[in-house]
């Protein structure tokens, strides 16, 4: 819901997906032509996009193709903004049917920065301080804490996404976060525990807290 928390953004995205400028096919119609799947935004819940197809032998494959087409549309719409890590995680987490492979904290999904690569991903929130109005990530990057090396030791990599780092997001509704990536669900779950411990230790000494 963070993705369309602003009504103006929601209306713009809806028109982008369902509008037909200059008589061209809508994006939903284009996806139907490629996958034989119908995409709808229910009137009772405009935060949801429903994908439907005719039952049959190839139904699951058609649904998966339509989902990938929609994800690619989002990548272009967002101009590969750093919020795509959170978005891809949320899309996969919300769809058990197409993403049954999961760990305690993670889900099997395409890497939005390398869309041909599959693996397990999750999102970890970062502490925030109202005193200086900033998110706190230094404790995750400092050599003294060894957090990065410990995450790597369990076979995972992370990207810290905020409005000033190497991976930037300008999407206002996307809070800063850590994107965690690995190839085994247990590895990602272990990395999440390492990051949670580091956050907890930092918050105990700093007085900041995780966003609500």
């Amino acid at each position: 819901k963070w993705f369309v928390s602003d009504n103006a953004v929601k209306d713009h995205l809806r028109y982008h997906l369902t509008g037909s400028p200059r008589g061209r096919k809508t994006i939903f119609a284009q996806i139907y032509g490629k996958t034989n799947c119908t995409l709808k935004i229910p009137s009772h819940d405009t935060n949801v996009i429903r994908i439907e197809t005719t039952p049959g032998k190839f139904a699951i494959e058609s649904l998966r193709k339509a989902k990938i087409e929609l994800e690619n549309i989002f990548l272009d719409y967002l101009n590969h903004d750093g919020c795509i890590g959170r978005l891809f995680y949320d899309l996969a987490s919300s769809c058990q049917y197409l993403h049954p492979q999961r760990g305690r904290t993670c889900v099997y999904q395409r890497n939005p920065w390398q869309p041909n690569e599959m693996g397990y991903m999750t999102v970890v929130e970062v502490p925030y301080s109202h005193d200086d109005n900033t998110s706190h990530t230094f404790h995750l990057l400092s050599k003294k804490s060894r957090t990065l090396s410990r995450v790597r030791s369990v076979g995972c990599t992370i990207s810290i996404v905020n409005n000033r780092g190497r991976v930037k997001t300008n999407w206002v509704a996307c809070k800063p976060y850590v994107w965690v990536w690995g190839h085994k669900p247990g590895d990602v779950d272990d990395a999440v525990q390492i990051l949670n411990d580091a956050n907890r230790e930092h918050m105990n000494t700093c007085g900041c807290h995780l966003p609500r």
Side-chain angles (χ1 to χ4, degrees):
K1 291 183 178 180
W2 61 269
F3 184 49
V4 287
S5 58
D6 180 271
N7 286 333
V9 171
K10 184 184 294 188
D11 291 344
H12 187 273
L13 178 62
R14 187 185 186 111
Y15 179 76
H16 182 73
L17 296 172
T18 63
S20 52
R22 301 192 187 96
R24 291 178 297 187
K25 284 186 177 180
T26 68
I27 286 175
F28 280 3
Q30 292 173 39
I31 294 176
Y32 176 82
K34 294 177 181 178
T35 66
N36 202 36
C37 290
T38 302
L39 282 77
K40 301 176 181 177
I41 300 176
S43 57
H44 65 278
D45 188 354
T46 54
N47 294 318
V48 170
I49 296 176
R50 190 177 304 243
I51 306 175
E52 301 173 350
T53 193
T54 305
K57 182 179 179 181
F58 301 107
I60 183 109
E61 192 56 36
S62 295
L63 291 171
R64 184 171 286 109
K65 286 180 180 177
K67 183 208 68 119
I68 289 172
E69 289 287 339
L70 184 60
E71 287 174 346
N72 290 341
I73 294 296
F74 284 141
L75 288 177
D76 290 340
Y77 179 78
L78 293 165
N79 197 25
H80 292 256
D81 180 273
C83 71
I84 59 177
R86 187 187 285 277
L87 179 62
F88 267 51
Y89 169 72
D90 285 349
L91 289 172
S93 297
S94 68
C95 187
Q96 177 83 33
Y97 186 66
L98 292 178
H99 295 272
Q101 296 167 274
R102 298 172 181 233
R104 292 194 315 274
T105 64
C106 57
V107 62
Y108 194 65
Q109 164 70 309
R110 293 195 300 157
N111 181 338
W113 286 279
Q114 300 288 337
N116 293 325
E117 183 182 12
M118 298 290 296
Y120 287 87
M121 70 170 67
T122 194
V123 164
V124 174
E125 306 298 340
V126 297
Y128 180 85
S129 172
H130 285 289
D131 292 338
D132 55 10
N133 202 33
T134 60
S135 57
H136 290 186
T137 59
F138 178 76
H139 63 286
L140 302 176
L141 300 172
S142 69
K143 290 183 179 179
K144 184 179 178 180
S145 72
R146 298 187 59 249
T147 302
L148 271 181
S149 61
R150 292 175 63 205
V151 167
R152 291 182 184 128
S153 73
V154 297
C156 294
T157 58
I158 65 172
S159 295
I160 294 176
V161 183
N162 54 32
N163 63 0
R164 63 185 186 277
R166 190 173 67 175
V167 184
K168 292 184 179 180
T169 178
N170 294 311
W171 199 262
V172 176
C174 179
K175 297 174 182 176
Y177 68 97
V178 183
W179 184 76
V180 189
W181 175 259
H183 292 286
K184 296 178 181 178
D187 293 347
V188 177
D189 290 337
D190 288 344
V192 169
Q193 186 62 54
I194 291 168
L195 292 165
N196 285 342
D197 288 345
N199 278 341
R200 192 176 303 111
E201 183 178 343
H202 174 74
M203 288 187 292
N204 285 340
T205 59
C206 175
C208 57
H209 54 80
L210 293 176
R212 292 181 176 85

